[in-house]
Amino acid sequence: MKAFDLTQLRFDDSGLIPAIVQDAENGQVLMLAYMNQQSLQMTLETGLTHFYSRSRQRIWQKGEESGHIQRVYEIYFDCDEDALLIKVEQVVAACHTGRRSCFFRRLHPSPEASAELTQQQFDPEAVYGGSLAILQQIFDVIKDRQARPQPDSYVSGLFSKGQDQILKKVGEEATELVVASKNGNPEEIIYEAADLWFHALVLLGHHGIAPSEVARELRKRYGKKSKAEYR
């Protein structure tokens, strides 16, 4: 099947097109955001929604800070080719308030314009403690140092020395974590685990693999009864 030419879509004068995001499982409308051609292409390539922020004037990945990513199932465009419908698997909540959907306030019919629909609210910090988002943030910096090497950057230095040096560091950090575990000092274990995770992110960057791909693989395994080691 011939790939669809994204330039056939009718982006507005600012190069944007509205995108309605819908829960693929139950049809709930989750949010409305805007895409430009680049963010749409990134969405197609990664399988995760990327949008263009009109206020921040930059592309952003949904869940890049909260960890509440959206895995894309299907993308449709309307008859006028000037709007998108994206069906996703939503992780936790789509709204920045912590609610499942951004559409939780009722305008009509209601005696009060501010009347809210009953909807469970999630606290991202309570759910994740911010821990998942930092991995992606660090990975973004790693990829930037790979694309734009800096003379004083440790990461740029690793990439310049090639895969063997990266593998050596991963091996060294794994050994140091084993030693820390044998020593039984929690602070030392946390420190060495952070070192290992960091260098594993560098290794992923070398291969062009995003942390979300590893998370997706873990999620697939967790859902299989045969993978008892994940339970």
Side-chain angles (χ1 to χ4, degrees), residues 129-145:
S131 59
L132 295 182
I134 191 63
L135 295 180
Q136 183 62 49
Q137 292 169 7
I138 292 173
F139 185 74
D140 288 343
V141 173
I142 288 171
K143 293 299 292 181
D144 181 73
R145 297 297 182 269

Side-chain angles (χ1 to χ4, degrees), residues 14 28 56 66 82 87 104 115 137 182-183 186 191 211:
S14 299
Q28 182 182 28
R56 291 176 287 177
S66 66
D82 61 359
K87 296 189 176 186
F104 58 88
Q137 292 169 7
K182 294 292 288 184
N183 291 339
Y191 183 89

Side-chain angles (χ1 to χ4, degrees), residues 9-21 30-43 48-62 70 75 82-86 102-103:
L9 294 173
R10 297 175 58 188
F11 295 87
D12 65 16
D13 293 340
S14 299
L16 303 177
I17 189 170
I20 301 166
V21 183
L30 299 174
M31 59 181 284
L32 168 68
Y34 289 85
M35 290 181 161
N36 60 11
Q37 188 171 331
Q38 183 181 357
S39 66
L40 176 54
Q41 186 64 49
M42 292 172 68
T43 297
L48 301 173
T49 54
H50 289 72
F51 304 102
Y52 186 82
S53 171
R54 295 172 296 172
S55 59
R56 291 176 287 177
Q57 296 288 296
R58 72 171 182 88
I59 292 174
W60 59 286
Q61 178 192 309
K62 177 62 180 175
Q70 294 171 341
I75 300 179
D82 61 359
L84 300 174
L85 173 64
I86 306 176
C102 292
F103 297 94

Side-chain angles (χ1 to χ4, degrees), residues 8 15 24 59 71 80 87 91 97 101 112 114 119 131 136 139-140 146 153 178 186 197 206 209 213 225:
Q8 294 181 40
I59 292 174
R71 299 186 180 92
D80 292 323
K87 296 189 176 186
V91 174
T97 65
S101 168
E112 298 179 1
S114 62
Q119 191 174 127
S131 59
Q136 183 62 49
F139 185 74
D140 288 343
Q146 182 185 31
S153 167
V178 170
W197 285 18
H206 172 76
I209 300 172
E213 294 302 308
K225 293 182 179 179

